[in-house]
Amino acid sequence: MRRKKFGLVYIVGIALIVIIATPFVIWRFVSHTQLDIVVFNKTFPLVSGASGEVVKLDYSKQQGLYWLMNYMGLKRPDTNKEYNVKRDYYGNFLDNGKLVNKPLESREHTPDVIFISDMYGTGNSKTNGSEPAGVSGMRKEEVAVIATSYEKGTTIIGEYNIAGDPTTSDVAQELEHIFGLHFTGVAGKFFSDLSSELDVPHWIRAIYERQYGKQWNLSGAGIVIAGNDRIVVLQREVGFVGSSLQIRMSEQEKSYDRVKAVDYYNWFEIVEPVNSQSVIAWYDLKLTEAGAAQLKPYGLSSSFPAIIANHADGRNSYYLAGDFTDYRGPDRIQKFVGAPTLYRYFSIDSEGDLGYFYWNFYIPFMSQVLKEVTPLKREITQTGEVEVAEDGSQLVSKIVDGQFAVYRQGAWSKYEVKGVNIGDTLPGEAGSTLPDDHSFYLDWLEQIANMNANTIRVYRLMPPTFYRALDSYNYSHPKEQLLLLQSLTVDQSGSSMKSLDREAVASFQASVDVTVNALHGQYAQYSNDVSRYVLGYLLDPNLSAERVVATESAGAATGYAGEYVSVDKDASLTESWLATVIDYLFAYEQTNYQMQHPVAVASDSTMKPFLMHMKVSSKVTAGLFGAYSFLKDPESLKNNLESFVKEYQPYPLLISEFGYPSSGNITESEQGESIVALWQAIKDSSAMGGLIYEWADEWGKSSSKTSSRMVPYDRGSLWHNVTDPAQNYGILALESKVPTEYSMILHGSGPLDSLALTSDESYFYMKASFNQLPEFNKERIMIYLDTIDRKNGEYMLAPDVLQNWSGVEFNIRIDHRDQAQLLVIPSYNASKGTYFSAISTTGMFEQMGTGDEDESTLTAGSFEASSNHFYVENKTLYVRIPWMKLNFSDPSGLLVLNDEKRTGIFDNEKNVLTARMTVGIIASLVIMDKKTNEPTYHFPESVTSAGYKTFTWSPWEVPKYTSRQKSSYAQIQTMFLE
């Protein structure tokens, strides 16, 4: 009997052991997955020893995630081992009692997941002296790695407090783009006892006391929402009812059916989704009527986003608007099947306890997110291909038989350059100032590629986000990649005119070092290696005729013999200097990166070719080529191109700039036609292709005849001179938006209902609404403009015709619906070198322009096209006049030319003319009989009438503008497709 009992106990014991062991055994044999997860966290509570020194970090801010990762059997691909919460992350570590940052840097392989936790760090605390760089706040280099990975398919997961101070606003903006939301800077939390000095942070009390002017004396449970120096306190049973706010999945999210709605007690934040459909989880508050009234001024309601999922173009991101991963419970056993279910079953929903949320919401939600991640291919992080030459040089492009060749799909293929130049200024920005905005450049690159271009050229080292955008675009579009021609230049304005001087040589070599390192992702914030997308380098030494003469006067030429490039003794000193720079470029990239790219020297019609005496050694595997800028008409290029090609032999020639502006009376369609003709001339030659000048209009530039009329010159980027070719070569128009509302409306009488006036960064606008339009076969409309003051100018409407009410400078003469001119008084005709408005009673107005140049004719047509100045629609006349045609030298500062002392045309001279501030513009409208030249209607009727008012506007420092593809874009798109 005893044996039977013992046997039964033994069997039961064995059974219990088997039952208990089975989940562990099954877990061991379940297929575990390699998933490359990067955890990025900078906020760790510090644990101090008995003597006060910091002895370790508290990993509770991330241990909840690591518990789940290890339960799911997720392993590091590089070691096939599980993730270690104390070691396998980027961010802050402890070193000799002090925090040090292990920065998030570019990795050999693109990770599958990046989880971004708290970036606060210590908030740039100076408690322990100067803090090491990167300990607090996310750096630009780090967000660059995140954004690049996101573009390449990495799932990005972020949570509470990654974008607030001390993270800078430009970094936060990048994160907003990734997650599809806007950070508001407002956060909140439930507190069981509002009177607790231990629980309620000092900064919350400080905001409350500043806002209400009294001490924090609140007690009981409540929810505090604070940020941007404002605060709302919802006390339980006063502002809300229930335990706390609740978090729940959206009803549409069926894949998260195991995620339970629970009370939430930790920190949360207010974010605004770009797309409301991206919200997959919500916070809910059971507000009282008083609570709803408290939140209403802040634009908050009883429900707001808790999780935003941004899925676009194969990219995935999740933003958890709360401190979800912060789990401070015991580190429970995890390596058995059903562990989360067991712990969830025994979790207790008690006030302030984070465990119930963790097991019932966080674990099932994050489990589903991680299960849906598909591991990325591990081969390479770039899609550009390279060939390794016999000497070990890596090549992505080279010169073969007088043409570019690129290495693709394991073979070399001919490459015809169909490109566009990207300038280096935007409206309102000083020279060589472009935004450090990844999405801005990505949009440009996509538009350029859609134009069927295959190459871009930049004139200087661009901001880091440009190269990140290029990397992202080419990774996402392996069959429509854009290759880069990178200019290498240096500002020599402050150095000697002699290019061989030590200072000039050192400057150029420094430029080579920085640029090459940046393209290889090895310089400062330049973390994207785009060297596989570089077609070649254009050496642009900023040579001028004066600099060449100064260099040649330095002494007799001696030649140069370099390791890669040499010139003989017949070469000029300038050629010798260029040979040293090219030799240095080849050597620097070969030595440091075992890579070469073809190199050219950029020149134009003012410079002779500088490759005539240059020879390359066998170490140059990429090749040399010539680069020539040609900004003239198609016929000139057609007649001279082959002679240019011959001048550069034995090296092939690339037309580095060709283009045509849409300025003055040249329409955008005519611009497109000229560019197509220029391209056809290039294709008919043996040139290597060409680059259109340029992608976008550049305000602030000037041609020889307009530079003197921009006063002060350095404010030229604040307004758009639509008449200047130099500002309007772009295929992408950067222009002020046509106004729909007018600043001043003057009410007329008789045939004129009203005359409305307004202005923008490009034009002065008028809208004349008629009760009855003039009969243009019998009458004309004359609009007179007094643009300076009420004293000087022409007082007669025409010779021997009635006097005007003030001295005017300009007369807009509209003879027909499609025929109009802008006329000027002789003393103020800047096109003929006179810049002063003098008192006159002759009634004489003259045309603008010299020789064959007609600057007076106005073009009829709607304002959708930049070349149009006026049109009639129904009974309304619309007119706009470019600022420079009205002799405004800086409309952003209300400055107009008024120089009595200087006369003549000042070519390429700046700030030589005098300008003064206008007191505003007075417009008068006259209907005049064509036969008798007598006025039949005059508005305003007198200087005392209501219509006699001065139009003025506010100065501006930041111009408003919009972008638009010109009609020439479609023509070029077809041209490059053929």
Side-chain angles (χ1 to χ4, degrees), residues 6 93 151 181 191 208 286 349 395 487 629 734-735 801 845 943 951 970:
F6 177 77
F93 288 78
E151 293 292 337
L181 54 78
F191 296 97
Y208 178 89
K286 295 180 180 179
D349 186 8
L395 295 175
S487 286
S629 172
L734 300 183
E735 59 191 7
V801 180
F845 294 88
V943 293
F951 169 77

Side-chain angles (χ1 to χ4, degrees), residues 249-363:
M249 297 303 299
S250 174
E251 294 178 0
Q252 291 78 22
E253 299 301 320
K254 304 300 182 184
S255 60
Y256 299 99
D257 55 351
R258 293 174 55 241
V259 182
K260 184 179 179 180
V262 298
D263 291 328
Y264 181 74
Y265 297 103
N266 210 342
W267 286 99
F268 61 89
E269 63 183 314
I270 308 297
V271 294
E272 299 172 349
V274 173
N275 179 5
S276 61
Q277 300 300 313
S278 65
V279 181
I280 63 172
W282 297 86
Y283 291 119
D284 291 328
L285 270 169
K286 295 180 180 179
L287 293 172
T288 63
E289 188 174 336
Q294 280 183 275
L295 292 182
K296 187 175 181 180
Y298 299 89
L300 300 176
S301 63
S302 60
S303 294
F304 48 94
I307 301 176
I308 292 174
N310 186 23
H311 305 298
D313 300 325
R315 298 186 291 268
N316 300 290
S317 69
Y318 299 86
Y319 190 74
L320 319 180
D323 210 356
F324 291 2
T325 308
D326 184 10
Y327 174 64
R328 300 176 185 273
D331 189 9
R332 301 184 180 184
I333 299 172
Q334 62 204 195
K335 298 179 180 179
F336 65 92
V337 173
T341 302
L342 179 67
Y343 297 139
R344 182 164 60 249
Y345 181 79
F346 286 103
S347 63
I348 300 174
D349 186 8
S350 60
E351 183 171 294
D353 182 21
L354 305 181
Y356 193 78
F357 162 79
Y358 179 76
W359 296 111
N360 289 273
F361 189 96
Y362 181 83
I363 287 292

